[in-house]
Amino acid sequence: MKKICCYLIFLSFSMTFAQNKPTFSVVGNAINKESLLKNKRLDVSKIKVENISNKPIFLVWETVSNTFPKEWDCSMCQHGACQIGIPKESVFSKLNPDQQGFIAIHVIPVNKIGNGTVKFKIYDKANPAYSKILTFEVEVL
């Protein structure tokens, strides 16, 4: 009985560790800082992530915060799709082992100066305990 109890405790710790093991990593910096003139446009600001596991993964993202001025025309793309505006959440297309994906934003400030930040929480659908925050900071002069 003692042996079974010890085995169950070990198995519990092993499963907890395995579930928290990262399956993806940010390539480069998790924060992009951009600056542009009010009559210009930010065509693309991209943060890449990579599948570091040995199996396909599906990354989920959620918008944590968005302080972009409402006058700015914004859109965003993720690995596999683009959307108008900054949606609340979505899922990447499948990322195979060693494959990279991305989140990217586009901003047309429509002659409106200001600052704004958008933050996305990203995690593996099968491993939500491990997550990263991707941040885009934009300044329009």
Side-chain angles (χ1 to χ4, degrees), residues 3-138:
K3 207 176 206 181
I4 292 173
C5 185
C6 289
Y7 176 73
L8 290 175
I9 291 171
F10 173 76
L11 185 61
S12 168
F13 281 123
S14 297
M15 290 180 73
T16 300
F17 176 75
Q19 290 173 345
N20 292 330
K21 184 177 179 189
T23 55
F24 71 96
S25 66
V26 176
V27 177
N29 200 338
I31 301 173
N32 275 8
K33 295 182 179 190
E34 306 286 356
S35 183
L36 64 144
L37 297 174
K38 67 180 182 177
N39 61 343
K40 299 293 181 185
R41 63 189 297 156
L42 176 60
D43 286 323
V44 66
S45 182
K46 184 185 295 187
I47 298 176
K48 294 181 182 180
V49 293
E50 183 173 354
N51 180 349
I52 58 172
S53 76
N54 60 359
K55 61 183 179 182
I57 62 173
F58 291 88
L59 295 178
V60 177
W61 62 263
E62 301 169 2
T63 302
V64 175
S65 65
N66 180 358
T67 64
F68 285 170
K70 64 180 183 308
E71 296 86 359
W72 291 1
D73 183 11
C74 305
S75 61
M76 65 92 58
C77 293
Q78 68 190 36
H79 178 71
C82 289
Q83 293 106 4
I84 296 171
I86 307 290
K88 294 285 183 205
E89 62 187 22
S90 190
V91 180
F92 278 27
S93 294
K94 178 175 70 174
L95 279 179
N96 289 312
D98 298 322
Q99 185 179 9
Q100 290 186 356
F102 64 90
I103 287 183
I105 61 162
H106 315 277
V107 177
I108 303 171
V110 196
N111 289 316
K112 171 71 175 162
I113 61 171
N115 297 299
T117 300
V118 63
K119 294 183 179 199
F120 300 102
K121 176 182 176 182
I122 188 169
Y123 56 91
D124 181 351
K125 188 175 184 179
N127 183 19
Y130 177 81
S131 65
K132 289 290 184 182
I133 300 292
L134 307 182
T135 303
F136 296 88
E137 298 175 358
V138 178

